[in-house]
Amino acid sequence: MHRTSKTLPPSRRSLLRALGGSAVLGALAGCGVPAAYVRPGDRAVPDTSATDRRLTWANWPLYIDTDDNDPNRRPTVAAFRKRTGISVDYVEEINDNDEFFGKISPALMNHQQPGRDLIVISDWMCARFVRLGWVQEMDRARQAHVARYLDPLLRSPAFDPGRRFTVPWQSGITGIAYDRRRLGREIHRVQDLWASDLKGRVTLLSGLDEAFALLMQGNGVGITKWTADDFHTVCDQVEREVRRGQIRRFTGNDYTKDLVSGDVLACQAYSGDVIQLQADNPDIRFVVPEEGAELWADSLMIPNRARHKANAERLVDYYYEPEVAAELAAWVNYVCPVPAAQAVLAGSKDKDTAALAGNPLIFPDAAMRRRLAVARDITSTERLEFARRWNKIVGL
């Protein structure tokens, strides 16, 4: 049975904080900080998985299936323990990518045990962990289901070719949401956001890592290999739209409130949020623009010095079994990174669950998939300059 709560989950792709509020992150992710980097030979400790049948897993709130009668019981986790004998300490402690970075970074940069065997953070932040050498390469020989079933669109991001260090937990699309009834027309392109009938009724995402790719696509840029010039062109464009009053404000996940109230008619949005909004208002639409949209992921990683690496690898692979992936997808309603789960859901005896198999925001159809791309992430050498300019525009 899929989740029936209409309460929107916290943003999985939290906003980039103002430079002054992320001193630790800025220092570590900046250029030329060799002390933070951990060499491959210093990342692992003896694995106790064979004798200590457990692991600790840190994730976001409301990002897994729960029992209707007991919100503290997670059926897929319980089934994993029953099958393998491995107990899972599941901790919902990640509310913000930067905040969690600050929490775990002292241990990782100082070669200490992080107290977690598995973590889930957004890919743009995963890129920093990978570059800093803070996560361990997974043994794909233990992960036959990941090797077989991982969505080809997600298999090789620029920061982790072949997904050696990361495996997507859930995925999503950054596109455009709009209220069809209130607007009175369709939206097809990113450029439609700048139309005169939307003046003062548009919001953009405030986070640098969340906002830039879709706007570049609107300019015809291929986001797998964008340049600094492409970024500054977007900034010039957004500055013009701010000056002429087109953009009402920049938002985190609270754009949903503006869209529901009608204060905003069109906005940058995440596909998973819109599925929830549509349950109450079918006039709210989500569009993957003709120019394309960004496909992103929140990914599983095994941090350095995790004591239960093999147990964690086994759990990751378990969630790539199509039947398990389908059970999870029916609850969280994000883009499922296991396309084979679609057939499992379609065969469900529950009508509402079976209908999810036909939802393109969970299983994008072929036409939509052709317009999706995974953006090249912002490198450490680019970040300081880009964040300074973007944050000035946004007002952070």
Side-chain angles (χ1 to χ4, degrees):
M1 184 178 197
H2 66 282
R3 185 177 64 199
T4 56
S5 170
K6 302 302 188 294
T7 302
L8 288 169
S11 172
R12 314 295 186 220
R13 320 194 69 220
S14 58
L15 62 87
L16 178 69
R17 297 197 186 284
L19 291 175
S22 286
V24 172
L25 183 146
L28 297 180
C31 182
V33 189
Y37 178 76
V38 178
R39 295 174 299 178
D42 294 330
R43 297 175 189 175
V45 295
D47 191 350
T48 62
S49 293
T51 55
D52 193 11
R53 309 291 288 168
R54 62 189 175 92
L55 67 102
T56 299
W57 177 10
N59 205 347
W60 302 75
L62 305 176
Y63 216 12
I64 200 169
D65 55 306
T66 57
D67 189 287
D68 284 339
N69 300 314
D70 182 0
N72 294 315
R73 183 178 182 276
R74 303 167 181 94
T76 56
V77 173
F80 175 78
R81 179 175 183 174
K82 183 176 181 180
R83 182 198 298 187
T84 65
I86 299 170
S87 62
V88 179
D89 181 14
Y90 185 85
V91 186
E92 293 185 331
E93 65 169 327
I94 304 176
N95 294 292
D96 178 282
N97 286 291
D98 291 322
E99 178 186 64
F100 186 71
F101 182 101
K103 180 186 292 187
I104 199 172
S105 60
L108 292 172
M109 70 179 297
N110 288 301
H111 301 210
Q112 298 170 352
Q113 290 178 4
R116 304 156 184 88
D117 302 291
L118 198 60
I119 62 176
V120 178
I121 52 178
S122 299
D123 267 0
W124 61 265
M125 180 62 84
C126 290
R128 301 183 197 178
F129 279 67
V130 172
R131 290 196 184 102
L132 288 165
W134 287 2
V135 290
Q136 300 182 64
E137 183 173 352
M138 295 191 204
D139 184 354
R140 200 64 82 227
R142 301 176 186 267
Q143 298 178 320
H145 294 103
V146 174
R148 179 176 180 183
Y149 292 116
L150 173 57
D151 191 331
L153 289 178
L154 295 167
R155 282 183 179 266
S156 200
F159 73 91
D160 185 15
R163 287 283 183 184
R164 296 182 302 134
F165 296 92
T166 63
V167 173
W169 169 243
Q170 293 293 286
S171 184
I173 303 166
T174 300
I176 297 172
Y178 66 103
D179 190 314
R180 174 64 180 81
R181 182 181 60 81
R182 287 186 169 117
L183 181 57
R185 63 177 176 87
E186 305 288 346
I187 285 180
H188 300 286
R189 301 171 58 85
V190 176
Q191 299 299 323
D192 292 343
L193 293 175
W194 318 133
S196 58
D197 61 345
L198 282 172
K199 186 172 183 179
R201 309 292 290 279
V202 173
T203 59
L204 299 181
L205 295 168
S206 58
L208 168 60
D209 297 88
E210 289 79 9
F212 78 90
L214 182 72
L215 299 175
M216 282 185 186
Q217 287 168 304
N219 293 333
V221 173
I223 60 172
T224 60
K225 296 181 179 180
W226 56 271
T227 68
D229 286 343
D230 296 324
F231 174 78
H232 288 297
T233 296
V234 162
C235 289
D236 292 342
Q237 181 181 34
V238 174
E239 283 177 332
R240 286 195 301 270
E241 299 303 333
V242 169
R243 283 196 301 268
R244 75 184 189 94
Q246 186 74 8
I247 299 170
R248 182 182 184 89
R249 67 187 186 102
F250 296 88
T251 74
N253 214 49
D254 53 339
Y255 69 85
T256 56
K257 299 174 183 176
D258 292 342
L259 190 60
V260 169
S261 69
D263 289 339
V264 159
L265 297 181
C267 56
Q268 272 190 317
Y270 306 131
S271 54
D273 289 343
V274 175
I275 290 176
Q276 298 294 313
L277 294 177
Q278 288 173 334
D280 287 330
N281 182 357
D283 291 318
I284 291 178
R285 309 286 175 82
F286 182 87
V287 61
V288 171
E290 293 175 4
E291 308 100 321
E294 182 192 10
L295 180 69
W296 50 265
D298 296 331
S299 292
L300 297 143
M301 298 191 298
I302 300 174
N304 290 354
R305 299 185 171 261
R307 297 183 62 86
H308 307 93
K309 182 173 184 285
N311 290 345
E313 288 167 338
R314 190 168 182 180
L315 179 67
V316 171
D317 196 57
Y318 164 77
Y319 276 99
Y320 270 72
E321 296 178 19
E323 295 78 12
V324 180
E327 187 172 354
L328 180 63
W331 275 83
V332 300
N333 293 174
Y334 278 74
V335 174
C336 180
V338 184
Q342 185 174 21
V344 177
L345 281 177
S348 173
K349 295 179 181 179
D350 181 84
K351 182 178 66 175
D352 292 337
T353 299
L356 295 174
N359 191 323
L361 301 188
I362 300 176
F363 298 99
D365 57 30
M368 184 181 290
R369 288 173 68 87
R370 285 193 291 269
R371 301 199 300 276
L372 298 175
V374 177
R376 171 180 80 77
D377 54 291
I378 298 170
T379 68
S380 58
T381 54
E382 294 168 329
R383 183 163 295 278
L384 190 63
E385 173 193 353
F386 289 2
R388 183 180 291 116
R389 181 164 190 200
W390 181 256
N391 290 346
K392 184 177 180 181
I393 296 170
V394 173
L396 289 176

